[in-house]
Structure formats: C-alpha cells, structure tokens
Amino acid sequence: MSLLNGETIAILGGTGPQGRGLARRFAQAGLTVVLGSRTAEKGAQAAAELSKATGTTVTGTDNQSAAEAGDIVLVVVPWDGHGELLSKLKPELDGKIVVDCVNPLGFDKQGAYALIVEEGSATEQAAAILTDSTVVGAFHNVSAVLLEDPEAAPVETDVLVLGDDRLATDLIQELADTIPGVRGIYGGRRRNAHQIEALTANLISINRRYKTHAGTRITDL
C-alpha cells in the first residue's frame, strides 16, 4: 500500500515557478494538492489556472490555510522570508511532515553562490523553528523550468531526501517517485543538507554556461 494514500500535499509559496511545477506534477500523479500564497486570492487564481492547464483539481488559498490543510507541507518560499514564515506558521505545522525545499543563495556579477546560514542550512533552520514537526529536506536541485514544462516528461533527475526519521524520508522518497523520471534517494541526515542546498549554485552556473536545465543522477543504484 502506498504511504501517500489519502495524504494532502500543501505547498507554501506554491505560486512561484518551483511551487507551481511541483504542484503540476503531483496533481498529474493523482495526489490532492493545495497551493498556498501570500493571499488567498492569489493562491486561488494560480490553482484555477493550473487545474485548467492540467485537467486536474488543484485548490489554492493563503499560506496559513494551506498549512492547516496539508498532511505533508512543502516549503517553497524565498529564502529572505523563510524563517519569518515558519515561525508564524509553527502552530499549523505542529505534528506534520514539513519538506524544506529552499536554497539559501545570493547572486552577484559572478553568478549564484551559497549563503552562510547560522543553523547550517535552510532545512536545519526549519527544524530549529518547527520543533514539533518532522522536517525533511528535498527537491532542492530540480529545475523549475522542467517541472512546469508540459513537454518535459519525464524529468530525468534524482531528488536527494535528507532527514532523521526513516518513515518520513521513505514517504518523501515515494512522493518524489510520483514524478515521471524522478527517483527519490536517501541522501543522509538533516545535518548534511547544506551541501545539497549549495549545489544548486553550481547547477545554475552549469545551466548558464551550457544553456540547459541540469539535474543530478546518482550512479550504481
């Protein structure tokens, strides 16, 4: 039996490119998806557009209501507002599996670079704030362009899943597996999230040099 049976997937910051792309793929896999945004109106509009484009049913609302509705809650918000949003939504996220997908990156004339995070990574910051949630890191290195592209099926990449709870990481690996072409692979404990988040800066550099949408594949599995 699938671990995902009956689970609602909520995506905070779901109206941005990565959030919309993940929502598209999960909805097409038959999962129940709720998009969260800063306002309920923006969330509802994005969900309606996505439902029409995919022939599925996606609902949209504000981030707080999405956090309340989700059994599994993905955090796909800009790094600048990461800690503030999670602190605000801690009561709604207590007792839930929270998947942090955020990459703390800076940009200058030389391109993208990884930022130093006091807690070690965005995933560890989330865990420090959400002390009554089970925090997992995943979906850091998947191209939003490919996720949103209806012609890009399958998406040939692996998703490294990081966490300290075996059941939770197994569940999020299965969630990643619902996207055609994607494999969810255990990537270590939460303390190893920094290098996975930082790798996105390297992928951005690869994409700019080679005009592509690079991902990662783990060999010998």
Side-chain angles (χ1 to χ4, degrees), residues 3 97 134-138 160-176 184-190:
L3 296 172
I97 293 177
T134 301
V135 176
V136 175
L160 293 174
V161 179
L162 302 109
D164 298 344
D165 183 283
R166 178 65 179 268
L167 181 60
T169 56
D170 284 351
L171 181 65
I172 304 311
Q173 285 176 246
E174 185 175 330
L175 180 62
I185 295 176
Y186 175 68
R189 292 186 177 270
R190 258 193 333 249

Side-chain angles (χ1 to χ4, degrees), residues 70-177:
D71 299 300
I72 300 169
V73 182
L74 276 65
V75 182
V76 194
V77 298
W79 168 243
D80 287 348
H82 180 263
E84 181 181 357
L85 179 69
L86 294 184
S87 296
K88 178 181 177 182
L89 298 182
K90 183 182 184 305
E92 288 78 14
L93 297 173
D94 282 353
K96 299 186 178 184
I97 293 177
V98 176
V99 184
D100 202 286
C101 312
V102 176
N103 298 308
L105 299 178
F107 296 86
D108 59 19
K109 292 181 179 179
Q110 297 183 66
Y113 61 96
L115 298 175
I116 296 173
V117 179
E118 181 179 353
E119 295 85 353
S121 65
T123 303
E124 289 173 290
Q125 183 185 87
I129 295 169
L130 304 175
T131 52
D132 294 308
S133 304
T134 301
V135 176
V136 175
F139 301 105
H140 297 103
N141 311 137
V142 185
S143 167
V145 174
L146 294 181
L147 288 172
E148 284 206 277
D149 185 355
E151 303 300 320
V155 179
E156 298 290 352
T157 193
D158 292 333
V159 166
L160 293 174
V161 179
L162 302 109
D164 298 344
D165 183 283
R166 178 65 179 268
L167 181 60
T169 56
D170 284 351
L171 181 65
I172 304 311
Q173 285 176 246
E174 185 175 330
L175 180 62
D177 289 345

